[in-house]
Amino acid sequence: RILSAAFSPDGTEIALASSDYSIRVWNANDGKEKMKRFYGHSNRVWSIAFLTEKRIVSCSEDRTIVVWESSSGQKLVEFAEHDAWVLSVASSLDGTRIVSGAKDGTIGVWDVETGQTVVMPFRGHRDAVRSVDFSPDGKYIVSGSSDKTVQVWRTTDWKAAVDWSFEGHTDEVTSVKFSPDGRSIISGSKDKTVRIWTVPG
């Protein structure tokens, strides 16, 4: 079962994360698999994203985040300092930072090259963080949670405090994404609705 999919920045490749613990990379133009599926996680792979055209990041129920070389499946960096399942990952636009959301309600921010945390975990949600995303300018992080809320966090001072919280969904928020201009956020929920929120300022 496919749990997550992502386009490469140049739109030529698609990466897929699966419940069979594997990652696959496909050619977006002809639909052919570029290489055999590769393994490295020891449990379901919940989320996947491209850092650059040649690097992929994934997270898993095995409580790890892994950076891979997309052309070979080689494991480049592993982030293993987690106390809970990691359910979502996203990359900053420049590919230098990773944000993660975990089952214990925490949000982590990581340096891609060192595998170290940039700041102490953000804590504001009361339940699992199902989805995360960076704003295009990298100044904010948005998170969607099983606590039914959407929260926005500022990255410019790393105070790890919620700047805005949006409420309105009546069930788990399973997906969040900034608009290309960073002025709006779209969220999807198990309540079968999609909502669009305006970022203040």
Side-chain angles (χ1 to χ4, degrees), residues 4-53:
S4 181
F7 270 107
S8 61
D10 61 7
T12 63
E13 294 181 352
I14 300 170
L16 304 175
S18 175
S19 60
D20 69 0
Y21 313 173
S22 73
I23 293 170
R24 306 170 78 176
V25 180
W26 297 76
N27 187 309
N29 296 316
D30 59 21
K32 294 181 179 180
E33 197 166 13
K34 297 200 70 172
M35 59 176 296
K36 291 182 180 180
R37 68 183 69 188
F38 50 92
Y39 295 85
H41 287 294
S42 60
N43 213 317
R44 287 180 289 186
V45 185
W46 278 107
S47 183
I48 198 162
F50 275 88
L51 295 171
T52 66
E53 281 82 1

Side-chain angles (χ1 to χ4, degrees), residues 72-151:
S72 67
Q74 178 184 355
K75 186 183 289 189
L76 301 176
V77 185
E78 181 171 323
F79 309 72
E81 300 175 12
H82 302 278
D83 297 322
W85 298 357
V86 190
L87 302 175
S88 181
V89 287
S91 169
S92 59
L93 192 61
D94 62 7
T96 64
R97 297 283 188 269
I98 294 167
V99 60
S100 63
K103 188 176 175 63
D104 63 2
T106 61
I107 297 166
V109 183
W110 311 82
D111 182 278
V112 171
E113 297 302 325
T114 66
Q116 301 299 309
T117 54
V118 176
V119 65
M120 292 295 292
F122 293 5
R123 300 178 185 274
H125 286 293
R126 301 181 303 277
D127 206 337
V129 178
R130 310 290 308 188
S131 184
V132 288
D133 190 33
F134 271 103
S135 63
D137 60 11
K139 293 181 179 179
Y140 297 100
I141 289 167
V142 62
S143 55
S145 171
S146 296
D147 68 9
K148 308 175 189 177
T149 68
V150 174
Q151 295 184 356

Side-chain angles (χ1 to χ4, degrees), residues 150-164:
V150 174
Q151 295 184 356
V152 180
W153 314 74
R154 192 187 309 271
T155 66
T156 49
D157 51 17
W158 297 117
K159 289 184 178 179
V162 179
D163 279 273
W164 303 291

